[in-house]
Amino acid sequence: TAVTLNSDKAVTATFGVTGNTVVVSHTAERAAASTTTSTKWDTSQKDAFTTVAISRALTSGATLAATYNTFDDSLTLKASVAF
């Protein structure tokens, strides 16, 4: 299965079954905006980016998760245990 995200809008898709999920989120490019009387602040421009998060629940009660973010090319790995 292929998923292609190339949108000027925010898109999120979740796949999987209980305890095993993949979440793909795309955030569209944000243009810069100047301060107005209603916003009271500037907004800086930000390029579009996508994150992919994979989570796996183990029978021991532990959860393994990995998240990749194209904004800064970061990969985050987490392991957690519920008591």
Side-chain angles (χ1 to χ4, degrees):
T1 301
V3 175
T4 302
L5 300 175
N6 189 11
S7 175
D8 60 351
K9 305 288 184 204
V11 177
T12 299
T14 303
F15 309 90
V17 295
T18 303
N20 302 291
T21 58
V22 176
V23 179
V24 180
S25 300
H26 175 75
T27 302
E29 180 178 0
R30 179 182 68 201
S34 299
T35 302
T36 66
T37 55
S38 62
T39 63
K40 309 271 192 274
W41 59 81
D42 289 337
T43 301
S44 59
Q45 183 275 341
K46 187 170 184 176
D47 292 336
F49 65 96
T50 301
T51 59
V52 177
I54 300 168
S55 179
R56 169 80 166 114
L58 304 175
T59 57
S60 64
T63 300
L64 303 175
T67 304
Y68 177 71
N69 188 334
T70 63
F71 178 69
D72 57 3
D73 288 330
S74 64
L75 176 63
T76 304
L77 303 173
K78 293 182 181 180
S80 59
V81 178
F83 293 99

